Amino acid sequence: KPRLYSGMQPSSDSLQIGNYIGALLSWKRMQEECDALFSIVDLHAITVPQDPAQLRENTRRTAAQYIAAGIDPSRSTLYVQSHVPAHAELAWVLNTITGFGEAGRMTQFKDKSAKQGADAASVGLFAYPVLMAADILLYRTEVVPVGEDQRQHIELTRDLATRFNSRFGDTFVLPEARILTETAKIYDLQNPTAKMSKSAESHAGVIWLLDEPSVTAKKIMRAVTDDDASVRFDREAKPGVSNLLSIYSVLSERSVDSIEDEFAASGYGAFKKGLAELVVSVFEPIRARTLEMLDDPAELDRILAGNAARAQEIADQTLQTVYDRIGLLRRG
Ligand code: AQP
């Protein structure tokens, strides 16, 4: 089975529907045919300021949502990144073979640091893609399912792996990005040309997995559309309606065409009502299961510890090989 690696940051107390559609749904499918590792990447989350108590809580909540959404911790390795020290250790080694200019060309860093202001951005944020390369390379990963925005980071990972292999001998497997389709990208309901995001400034356009059903329904009913009153997919001219159609299509496993046909004669109200019912019916059981698991944090921690041990076994082997190849003296 091909080895697969992916992760998500514990950067809020609930995941949003974009994380579900863009990541969890495909992870759930891919765990059947891959040897998958799914990480809660807390070391990545701290590249922007986090409240310590909240971060701890969000880490458990993210794990619970992974499991409630269908990631099976007895089949896939679901663990917390910082529980496996080799991530930070390999990242340090990779930092030493990464060019300063090379890292500076990463567009995500440019975007995020511009948002924060150049002086507020940390060295950690700058080195984020190198840590991501370490995550992937530690496990001899072959497949990395990511959105289009991560393509550049996977390219960097491949460059670093190639560089290391040619300098120190064949050590790393070159991973392939499995780029998720454009329809898997979900936009903010209030600002449908911007990606829906956990760290959006306003929550009005974000559908949270753990929102009360009535709140979810209200947000969908208030989603920005247009005055054309026709339920039709046109990303350019009708971004709001197109976004709602994407969500409808993915969650109902129906084609956009058939949904357009169904609502051809009705206005936006009926369409939104149908979508709200659909979203609530998918999220309600996930929400209930998540809250149930959060009632027993000791059991959740036990699962995470067992999975971290499994991940660590693989990671430590790779790290030891790397240390030997670059000439670090083994502790006697
Ligand atoms: N709007 C989205 N549409 C489709 N997929 C999405 N993902 C996130 N937003 C959307 C996917 O979810 C995973 C989460 O990755 P992450 O936690 O590392 O951060 P992100 O991509 O930056 O996600 P957020 O929600 O926007 O988090 P913050 O605000 O913390 O940066 C990835 O697989 C991503 O593609």
Side-chain angles (χ1 to χ4, degrees), residues 53-288:
Q54 197 67 55
L55 177 63
R56 219 175 337 263
E57 175 64 16
N58 291 349
T59 301
R60 277 207 190 100
R61 291 177 78 93
T62 304
Q65 288 170 92
Y66 276 25
I67 298 171
I71 302 302
D72 177 356
S74 59
R75 174 191 292 258
S76 301
T77 305
L78 159 58
Y79 72 101
V80 177
Q81 186 186 26
S82 65
H83 291 176
V84 180
H87 287 259
E89 293 167 323
L90 180 61
W92 179 257
V93 173
L94 295 178
N95 274 328
T96 66
I97 64 161
T98 307
F100 197 82
E102 191 175 33
R105 281 193 291 278
M106 295 295 119
T107 55
Q108 180 176 296
F109 171 72
K110 287 194 222 167
D111 292 347
K112 286 200 177 180
S113 57
K115 237 190 249 172
Q116 291 202 321
D119 289 338
S122 66
V123 172
L125 186 66
F126 185 67
Y128 181 114
V130 183
L131 177 59
M132 185 170 157
D135 300 340
I136 295 166
L137 297 177
L138 270 180
Y139 299 98
R140 302 189 184 86
T141 304
E142 294 158 87
V143 186
V144 191
V146 284
E148 179 61 42
D149 60 326
Q150 293 299 317
R151 189 190 287 276
Q152 198 187 22
H153 289 167
I154 308 300
E155 277 311 310
L156 177 71
T157 303
R158 291 172 60 91
D159 289 347
L160 294 178
T162 308
R163 190 171 308 154
F164 189 98
N165 287 349
S166 75
R167 224 176 265 180
F168 300 106
D170 221 11
T171 308
F172 294 127
V173 170
L174 263 58
E176 300 279 347
R178 179 89 46 92
I179 304 287
L180 303 164
T181 58
E182 174 60 18
T183 47
K185 183 166 176 185
I186 304 303
Y187 297 83
D188 190 287
L189 299 192
Q190 289 300 319
N191 182 10
T193 50
K195 180 186 118 158
M196 192 183 286
S197 186
K198 288 190 230 91
S199 51
E201 264 169 39
S202 158
H203 289 184
V206 181
I207 302 180
W208 300 104
L209 251 71
L210 302 184
D211 262 346
E212 298 262 357
S214 61
V215 175
T216 300
K218 222 175 277 167
K219 283 183 181 168
I220 294 173
M221 296 310 289
R222 288 185 188 150
V224 165
T225 49
D226 49 56
D227 351 302
D228 170 46
S230 72
V231 179
R232 194 163 44 78
F233 193 95
D234 182 340
R235 182 79 77 199
E236 291 287 301
K238 296 164 71 65
V241 173
S242 303
N243 188 38
L244 299 180
L245 273 166
S246 296
I247 298 174
Y248 206 123
S249 165
V250 174
L251 296 189
S252 63
E253 298 178 15
R254 283 172 54 192
S255 71
V256 167
D257 281 353
S258 86
I259 301 161
E260 286 175 342
D261 288 348
E262 179 182 339
F263 292 100
S266 41
Y268 289 158
F271 169 57
K272 284 176 165 177
K273 190 155 173 286
L275 178 61
E277 280 166 12
L278 174 63
V279 173
V280 165
S281 74
V282 174
F283 283 4
E284 189 40 22
I286 297 179
R287 178 170 179 269

